[in-house]
């Protein structure tokens, strides 16, 4: 979507650059859907495969943090609430380790 790193200067130009604004909007939308899918579908399936009892989303996120699948349950929730700032919550490389344990 972005050929180079997205810079502060580009962020300041968004209002004057409709194509950039459209790309940024598309990225934020896709990131939000990805995060929702991981939290609502992938994480419960992974926890279930690990024989963990599923609960409300926040409980599942706490377990994901315990297993180090994500860096922070609070960060995940903050990032989900502030989708315009996707760096607030990242999928941790622990998901890869979890899949290796299942194999």
């Amino acid at each position: 979507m972005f050929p180079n790193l997205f810079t502060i200067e580009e962020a300041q130009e968004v209002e004057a650059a409709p194509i950039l604004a459209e790309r940024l909007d598309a990225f934020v939308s896709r990131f939000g859907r990805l995060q929702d899918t991981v939290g609502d579908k992938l994480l419960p399936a992974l926890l279930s495969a690990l024989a963990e009892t599923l609960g409300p989303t926040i409980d599942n996120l706490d377990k994901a943090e315990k297993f180090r699948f994500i860096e922070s349950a609070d960060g995940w929730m903050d990032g989900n609430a502030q989708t315009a700032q996707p760096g607030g919550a990242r999928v941790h490389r622990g998901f890869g380790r979890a899949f290796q344990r299942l194999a």
Side-chain angles (χ1 to χ4, degrees), residues 8-91:
I8 292 173
E9 292 79 19
E10 287 178 306
Q12 293 170 339
E13 304 277 329
V14 167
E15 288 185 22
I19 292 174
L20 178 61
E22 188 175 315
R23 284 186 185 156
L24 184 59
D25 183 58
F27 173 80
V28 169
S29 176
R30 290 173 185 159
F31 181 86
R33 283 195 305 267
L34 172 66
Q35 186 173 8
D36 289 345
T37 299
V38 169
D40 296 341
K41 304 227 186 314
L42 179 63
L43 180 57
L46 179 60
L47 291 172
S48 181
L50 294 171
E52 290 291 322
T53 304
L54 299 179
T57 300
I58 190 63
D59 292 346
N60 293 341
L61 289 170
D62 285 338
K63 289 178 184 182
E65 182 179 347
K66 179 183 88 174
F67 284 116
R68 297 179 44 185
F69 298 157
I70 60 173
E71 292 177 4
S72 163
D74 291 335
W76 186 277
M77 295 301 288
D78 290 345
N80 209 12
Q82 301 173 13
T83 307
Q85 298 179 11
R90 292 179 294 251
V91 175

